Structure formats: structure tokens, C-alpha cells
């Protein structure tokens, strides 16, 4: 279990809730954010169950909502344990389940798939690895055929989501990428 310190005031989750939106936590996101600015929480574990929770939240969430899932298996079950076969199967599960999410998306929806650190399952040791993490925006509101380059900070992803949600640009750092 993660025991987090309170995140800085004025983060993206706070901005969503302050604007009257909802934040849906699937998995351990509510623990990571010390339960602040989480309006709906579904504690679950395991890739298939996390997918089910994400799809349920996506189907239920109203406009202006943020659905935030931590697909922890990629990290704790396969990345840190250096199990490339498990990681590959998890990617296959991701690929198989992704059309279910795509079918639920509305015209103004945007999805971001990213990670909080590198964790190459083929590397030695159990620590985080140093490669850059993916930053993939997709869905009906995502730009098509645009190379967003390399973001210098995670805050740019938050600023991009804030802009997409029509939130005031009051986040302490970050520049929207589109």
C-alpha cells in the first residue's frame, strides 16, 4: 500500500473538482493522492479487473470528468520483477481491451496513456530504469498525425489535460502540448 504525503495544492485533480467535475480513481490512485480530490473510487487489482473498473468509470463519468487508472501490473508485477514474458502478455491484454474503451469514448473525450517512470523488464536489478516514458494521447479529441516531441516535464501532460477540460490555467507548472 502506498502511504503518500498530501500532494501540492492546485494540482489537476483539485482543479477538476473545484470546477465542479469529478475524479474517478481506479486502482490505487486514491492512495497515491492521499485521497484528496477523489470523488469516486474503485479499489481493485489485477489487469483485467483494472480494465473493468476503467470501462465502468468511462461509461458512467459525465463531461468534465477525469478517469485516472493505475495499471500497476506493468510496474509491480512485471517491470520491477523483470518478467518480460508477463509484461508482453499484459501488453497483449491492453491491446485486446483497448477497443472496448474506444467504443465508449464521446466526441470530446481524450485519453492519455503514460507512466510515472521507466521500468524496462529486461534490465538488471529491480530499480526504476532510465528510459523515457511513453506519452500517448488518443481518442476523438486527440490531434492526429502530430509529433508532440519530448515533454520536458510531467506537468506538460497535466497542463494539456487541464486545457482539454477547459480548466483555468492555474496549475503551478507545465505548458499544454496542444
Amino acid at each position: 500500500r502506498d502511504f503518500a504525503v498530501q500532494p501540492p495544492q492546485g494540482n489537476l485533480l483539485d482543479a477538476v473538482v473545484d470546477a465542479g467535475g469529478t475524479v474517478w480513481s481506479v486502482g490505487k490512485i486514491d492512495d497515491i493522492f492521499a485521497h484528496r480530490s477523489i470523488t469516486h473510487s474503485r479499489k481493485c487489482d489485477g489487469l483485467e479487473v483494472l480494465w473493468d473498473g476503467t470501462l465502468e468509470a468511462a461509461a458512467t463519468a459525465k463531461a468534465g470528468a477525469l478517469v485516472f487508472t493505475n495499471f500497476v501490473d506493468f510496474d509491480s508485477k512485471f517491470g520491477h520483477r523483470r518478467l518480460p514474458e508477463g509484461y508482453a502478455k499484459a501488453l497483449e491484454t491492453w491491446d485486446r481491451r483497448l477497443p472496448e474503451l474506444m467504443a465508449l469514448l464521446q466526441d470530446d473525450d481524450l485519453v492519455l496513456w503514460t507512466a510515472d517512470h521507466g521500468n524496462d523488464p529486461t534490465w538488471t536489478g529491480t530499480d526504476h530504469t532510465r528510459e523515457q516514458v511513453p506519452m500517448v494521447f488518443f481518442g476523438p479529441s486527440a490531434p492526429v498525425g502530430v509529433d508532440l516531441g519530448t515533454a520536458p516535464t510531467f506537468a506538460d501532460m497535466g497542463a494539456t489535460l487541464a486545457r482539454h477540460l477547459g480548466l483555468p490555467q492555474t496549475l503551478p507548472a507545465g505548458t499544454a502540448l496542444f
Side-chain angles (χ1 to χ4, degrees):
R1 181 168 184 185
D2 288 323
F3 294 100
V5 297
Q6 285 287 326
Q9 289 290 331
N11 64 54
L12 178 62
L13 279 62
D14 294 336
V16 170
V17 171
D18 290 348
T22 56
V23 175
W24 296 71
S25 163
V26 181
K28 67 178 192 172
I29 293 300
D30 56 349
D31 287 338
I32 293 170
F33 282 85
H35 306 275
R36 194 175 85 224
S37 293
I38 304 291
T39 57
H40 303 283
S41 178
R42 179 164 179 193
K43 296 289 275 183
C44 51
D45 187 27
L47 193 54
E48 294 286 356
V49 179
L50 287 162
W51 260 111
D52 293 342
T54 301
L55 295 172
E56 178 183 316
T60 308
K62 305 288 186 224
L66 176 68
V67 176
F68 200 163
T69 303
N70 183 324
F71 287 97
V72 69
D73 290 14
F74 288 100
D75 182 44
S76 65
K77 291 185 180 176
F78 309 121
H80 284 294
R81 294 182 184 174
R82 304 301 189 241
L83 298 172
E85 298 83 10
Y87 203 96
K89 286 184 190 268
L91 287 171
E92 290 172 355
T93 298
W94 178 271
D95 287 347
R96 179 177 47 79
R97 300 291 306 260
L98 186 57
E100 295 175 70
L101 176 61
M102 297 299 288
L104 293 174
L105 297 179
Q106 304 296 311
D107 288 343
D108 59 347
D109 286 342
L110 177 68
V111 178
L112 167 61
W113 184 30
T114 190
D116 61 342
H117 57 76
N119 210 347
D120 182 347
T122 65
W123 196 253
T124 58
T126 59
D127 291 337
H128 299 157
T129 55
R130 300 282 182 205
E131 72 276 3
Q132 295 173 337
V133 298
M135 175 184 65
V136 180
F137 288 94
F138 60 96
S141 286
V144 177
V146 176
D147 180 353
L148 299 176
T150 302
T153 174
F154 281 110
D156 290 351
M157 291 180 259
T160 303
L161 293 174
R163 176 182 281 170
H164 172 75
L165 292 169
L167 301 172
Q169 295 295 310
T170 58
L171 297 176
T175 303
L177 300 167
F178 58 89

